[in-house]
Amino acid sequence: MPTLTQLPAWRALWKHFTRARDWSMRELFDTDPERAQRYWLEQDGLILDYSKNRLTDQTLTLLLQLAREAGVPELIEAMFRGDKINVTEDRAVLHVALRNHAGTPILVDGEDVMPKVNAVLDRMARFSRAVRSGDWVGYTNQPITDIVSIGIGGSDLGPLMVCEALKPYAHPRLAMHFVSNVDSSLLKETLKRVHPETTLFIIESKTFTTSETLTNAHTARDWFLSSTGGAGKVARHFVAVSTNRKAVADFGIDPAHMFEFWDWVGGRYSLWSAIGLPIMLCLGEENFHALLDGAHGMDTHFRTAPLETNMPVLLGLVGIWYINFFGGGSHVIAPYDQYLHRFPAFIQQLDMESNGKQSTRDGRPVDYETAPIIWGGTGINGQHAFFQLLHQGTHIAPIDLIASLDGRGSLPGHHEILLGNMFAQAEAFLRGKTLDEARAELRAAGLDAAAVRALAPFKVFDGNRPTNTLLLQRLDPRCLGALIALYEHKVFVQGAIWGLNSFDQWGVELGKQLAQTIVGELSGESVPVPHDSSTARLIALYRQKNLDGEPSVE
Ligand code: G6Q
């Protein structure tokens, strides 16, 4: 099997790049009036305009050829078939089964997983209905008013992002709280705002061994028991979501109050599983199903559409063009929507944890760039902050501008300012401002010739900076489901081209192992073992500050 850099399309792209690197997008638009119409896709309530990129039909033909030569279509089929494409963990990758509303059988080790997926969804729905209606009561017979979800990483970011994004659909009585950080300040501040008689804790952990989550969960249970004077019934106030039944029982949660999922659901792909219980509680069963439906629509499109009109494939390939050829090592996610303010952080984990790798699936080191650094924030706020670098800095960072087209729920006069800014920014990134234009602008503002000469160079913007514009028909559960699935599959396509296993996370596992030893040393439970001199000094300093009788650090 040839490596990526030996593929004919890879080589052809390099040759093509020697010309393409000097193209001006202004000229591409001037010479090709149909461009916006051609580089435009509509799918499952999403509109993607990818015309403001430094590419032509030939670039796309070569990129599509690269996808074929790298085996992207075969890997897509292998995922949907339930093959164990997560080779280092010997697992299938089946978040698509969680939203398989077609109900067609999906086999793992010869067993159709759909009946158990549907059974858990039914249990979640029954539980949500009871909590939302007020039938599920706390130990003093009062309805639940606050839900505290305790989890971290993949067991936190997805539910948090979706509950924020769909706030207008939230149940009016239920306040949602998310506790992820083990720094006790977050839990402390949350507990100040809730009452033990009316609070439901959901402990979210795939493994149920993650120390941050278990520490927060134990502290929350201690708080609950002590503030109810021991009268509180844990069974009415604590439920768990996990794959680890035994650890849930050991913690003291009745397995009857555990919602199950399976090892073939990766953490960062788990919001569609029982990890989405906070979402269902907040938004209701119907809206949760609409979210799944939107994602299922995108799954079907991804699996069946020709590569040429396949939205996740094209988004992935356009990214590859910059990362591997232009050398753009970062990528910006800029939603023009306050409800999507957690979306950049969610995509950051999805992309960087999936493709931040340097070995191929068969264990060879890569000799090309892989995942970019994903960063960003709400676009309109970014305009007053980091957009300066995007316009005039020396890095080229492609930007995804994301917004809801429908402004009807917005306060009068707001949505046009928001989208007006977004469209104007995209135009400015494309066109830039030439020296002549800068001079003309300054002259028109009444400056004299000397001032024009002095100031004009600073007012020059190179432009030619790539953007994708992604519009949601409206920010509703269905469109959001499609949007998230779009990015999941984009990440899949890039990982497939780079030959990576996008579904393991050994870097995260390392963090979990390393901390164990040092935590024992800090708490005084174990004697310090040899470390490098910097780590040893830091441990000694901590012990000196926090443990009695420790010698001072010289
Ligand atoms: C996600 C990662 C990671 C994981 C957390 C929480 O893909 O593996 O972010 O979700 O470390 O793990 P648990 O759910 O096992 O507590």
Side-chain angles (χ1 to χ4, degrees):
M1 173 89 183
T3 64
L4 178 61
T5 54
Q6 291 165 343
L7 295 177
W10 180 267
R11 294 186 169 170
L13 275 161
W14 269 111
K15 205 158 155 221
H16 177 69
F17 175 69
T18 55
R19 281 173 289 124
R21 75 171 145 221
D22 298 323
W23 287 342
S24 135
M25 277 199 278
R26 272 197 198 213
E27 281 170 25
L28 293 178
F29 269 88
D30 289 346
T31 55
D32 179 5
E34 309 278 283
R35 191 176 167 85
Q37 204 178 321
R38 243 182 14 264
Y39 302 150
W40 181 282
L41 280 174
E42 297 189 19
Q43 189 63 45
D44 293 293
L46 306 184
I47 298 160
L48 169 65
D49 172 1
Y50 60 103
S51 62
K52 295 190 182 83
N53 280 294
R54 292 157 77 166
L55 49 78
T56 60
D57 289 354
Q58 200 198 346
T59 321
L60 287 171
T61 304
L62 291 173
L63 287 167
L64 288 161
Q65 196 183 322
L66 181 71
R68 287 193 190 93
E69 288 175 10
V72 172
E74 289 78 10
L75 199 67
I76 295 176
E77 214 30 58
M79 171 173 72
F80 279 94
R81 214 170 32 224
D83 290 6
K84 296 194 173 171
I85 61 168
N86 176 354
V87 285
T88 56
E89 297 180 307
D90 193 29
R91 290 175 183 169
V93 171
L94 278 179
H95 42 284
V96 292
L98 301 166
R99 54 223 192 186
N100 174 21
H101 275 183
T104 44
I106 297 183
L107 304 184
V108 175
D109 293 326
E111 183 203 347
D112 180 10
V113 297
M114 289 316 300
K116 52 188 189 186
V117 167
N118 291 327
V120 172
L121 275 171
D122 286 347
R123 279 193 64 217
M124 289 165 66
R126 276 199 300 279
F127 180 66
S128 304
R129 278 198 297 270
V131 173
R132 288 166 61 86
S133 65
D135 287 348
W136 179 283
V137 287
Y139 74 102
T140 54
N141 291 328
Q142 295 185 62
I144 299 298
T145 57
D146 291 87
I147 293 172
V148 179
S149 167
I150 298 181
I152 196 165
S155 298
D156 168 68
L157 283 163
L160 168 59
M161 181 275 286
V162 173
C163 289
E164 285 293 304
L166 298 175
K167 244 183 195 156
Y169 297 81
H171 191 287
R173 193 189 68 242
L174 297 174
M176 305 301 297
H177 311 267
F178 290 85
V179 175
S180 51
N181 200 330
V182 76
D183 173 353
S184 62
S185 53
L186 182 53
L187 183 59
K188 225 163 38 190
E189 291 303 323
T190 305
L191 294 180
K192 274 187 209 165
R193 286 185 283 139
V194 302
H195 197 282
E197 291 175 35
T198 54
T199 299
L200 175 74
F201 292 89
I202 308 178
I203 316 302
E204 304 240 273
S205 177
K206 181 173 170 178
T207 54
F208 231 77
T209 55
T210 305
S211 79
E212 294 89 334
T213 298
L214 287 190
T215 304
N216 279 327
H218 277 287
T219 307
R221 192 182 53 185
D222 292 347
W223 169 85
F224 173 75
L225 289 173
S226 69
S227 43
T228 59
K233 300 266 181 298
V234 169
R236 302 227 57 89
H237 293 267
F238 282 78
V239 298
V241 179
S242 187
T243 59
N244 187 345
R245 192 167 288 273
K246 175 167 182 320
V248 169
D250 290 348
F251 176 85
I253 293 180
D254 183 346
H257 293 156
M258 167 181 146
F259 296 84
E260 191 189 3
F261 65 115
W262 308 276
D263 70 359
W264 41 262
V265 182
R268 54 199 171 276
Y269 298 90
S270 64
L271 70 90
W272 322 97
S273 72
I275 288 288
L277 185 61
I279 304 176
M280 199 190 264
L281 284 162
C282 175
L283 308 178
E285 181 188 350
E286 241 178 66
N287 286 322
F288 189 73
H289 278 280
L291 185 81
L292 299 184
D293 259 346
H296 178 61
M298 188 54 72
D299 294 343
T300 309
H301 165 74
F302 182 51
R303 189 178 189 180
T304 57
L307 298 190
E308 290 75 7
T309 52
N310 195 310
M311 203 183 260
V313 169
L314 287 165
L315 205 57
L317 290 176
V318 171
I320 293 270
W321 182 225
Y322 296 114
I323 298 159
N324 294 117
F325 297 90
F326 286 86
S330 95
H331 188 104
V332 180
I333 305 288
Y336 276 70
D337 195 309
Q338 187 58 31
Y339 286 127
L340 288 175
H341 72 117
R342 297 294 304 186
F343 194 68
F346 173 79
I347 298 299
Q348 185 176 62
Q349 179 191 27
L350 174 67
D351 199 320
M352 293 173 73
E353 203 175 323
S354 297
N355 288 340
K357 316 264 164 81
Q358 47 182 243
S359 300
T360 60
R361 277 193 296 274
D362 46 13
R364 279 183 291 195
V366 299
D367 51 356
Y368 40 83
E369 294 293 321
T370 59
I373 294 159
I374 303 285
W375 59 289
T378 52
I380 201 82
N381 302 77
Q383 283 179 215
H384 298 266
F386 61 82
F387 270 39
Q388 166 61 37
L389 178 145
L390 299 178
H391 282 294
Q392 287 188 307
T394 50
H395 297 272
I396 297 211
I399 309 156
D400 291 353
L401 303 161
I402 306 169
S404 160
L405 196 51
D406 188 349
R408 276 171 299 184
S410 182
L411 297 172
H414 286 247
H415 205 60
E416 40 282 46
I417 295 180
L418 189 68
L419 264 71
N421 268 279
M422 181 171 113
F423 296 165
Q425 287 287 331
E427 190 171 33
F429 283 125
L430 153 69
R431 297 185 59 78
K433 194 180 285 174
T434 64
L435 189 59
D436 283 346
E437 286 167 346
R439 285 185 184 132
E441 197 179 277
L442 291 167
R443 271 195 296 270
L447 273 73
D448 64 27
V452 168
R453 235 188 344 272
L455 272 183
F458 299 100
K459 298 255 182 183
V460 170
F461 292 76
D462 293 338
N464 222 15
R465 310 229 161 181
T467 56
N468 292 310
T469 299
L470 251 169
L471 293 170
L472 284 71
Q473 290 292 356
R474 71 199 67 76
L475 182 50
D476 65 10
R478 192 175 297 271
C479 288
L480 182 66
L483 180 72
I484 301 168
L486 168 65
Y487 274 94
E488 286 178 349
H489 297 323
K490 172 209 161 171
V491 167
F492 180 98
V493 168
Q494 295 190 336
I497 289 178
W498 291 323
L500 307 174
N501 175 6
S502 303
F503 302 100
D504 59 11
Q505 54 282 315
W506 300 106
V508 175
E509 310 303 334
L510 174 72
K512 292 186 182 184
Q513 278 164 19
L514 287 181
Q516 275 172 12
T517 319
I518 296 187
V519 169
E521 294 170 43
L522 294 186
S523 64
E525 275 166 29
S526 52
V527 213
V529 297
H531 292 279
D532 62 82
S533 60
S534 160
T535 310
R537 200 172 163 79
L538 291 167
I539 293 172
L541 184 65
Y542 181 93
R543 288 173 63 113
Q544 178 204 323
K545 179 87 182 160
N546 293 285
L547 301 182
D548 292 335
E550 282 288 311
S552 68
V553 178
E554 291 307 318

